[in-house]
Amino acid sequence: MLKIVTHPDPILRETSAPVKDIDGQIAQLAQDMVDTMHYGQGIGLAGVQVGRLYRIFVTHVTNDKPRVFINPQIVETTPEVTEYEEGCLSIPETYASVDRSAGVKVQAWNERGRSFNLDADGLLARVILHELDHLNGVLFIDYLKERKRKRLMRQYERVQSR
Ligand code: NI
C-alpha cells in the first residue's frame, strides 16, 4: 500500500507534471493507486496524494469499474451545476458541500497507453473534477467560503490530533 499524504502537506499544492511515457512503472503506479484507494475506502485518488507529482488519477465509484486517467484533459463541462457533500482521502473525516458541473467530457490515456474519451455524469463526473483539481494543487476546501472553511479546518485539526 502507498502512503497517503494529508493536508496541510505542501506537496498537495503543487502542480503535477504530464506523464511522458506510459510504461510499466506507470502501470504499476496505477495499480498501486487503485489498491491504495480501495484500502482507504476512497472513490478517487490522484498521484500527488501518494507523493507522485504526475498527471494521473484513479476512480472507482459504485456500479462502475476502477478507472485510470493519465494526462487527462477536460473536453467540456455542462453548465448545469450540482451540489454534493465531498470528502478527500487527504483530508480524512472532513466533508463539505461543493458545487460542481453535473457532467464532464474528458479525454485521457489508460495504463496501457490507450487514449479514450469518457462522458461522465453523477458521482463519476464529480470525482473526475475533484481529482483533476488535485493535479493542479486545488483541494475541495478551496471552494468553501472563508468562515465555513475555517470552522471545518478547526474540526479537522481536532481529528488530526487524536
Ligand atoms: Ni481528494
Side-chain angles (χ1 to χ4, degrees), residues 24-35:
Q25 277 190 5
I26 286 292
Q28 185 60 54
L29 173 62
Q31 185 56 58
D32 291 345
M33 285 172 62
V34 168
D35 293 344

Side-chain angles (χ1 to χ4, degrees), residues 49 87-90 130-131 134:
Q49 294 183 272
C88 179
L89 287 172
S90 291
H130 175 119
E131 301 310 327
H134 274 300

Side-chain angles (χ1 to χ4, degrees), residues 130-148:
H130 175 119
E131 301 310 327
L132 269 162
D133 274 353
H134 274 300
L135 306 187
N136 298 318
V138 174
L139 300 173
F140 80 89
I141 53 174
D142 300 350
Y143 294 105
L144 308 179
K145 292 205 176 79
E146 195 183 350
R147 240 175 52 194
K148 168 116 203 230

Side-chain angles (χ1 to χ4, degrees), residues 59 64 67 69 75 104-108 116-120 124 128:
T59 66
D64 193 28
R67 293 179 187 273
F69 299 76
V75 177
V104 61
K105 275 190 186 139
V106 63
Q107 183 273 323
F116 65 93
N117 285 273
L118 181 69
D119 216 337
L124 183 58
I128 287 169

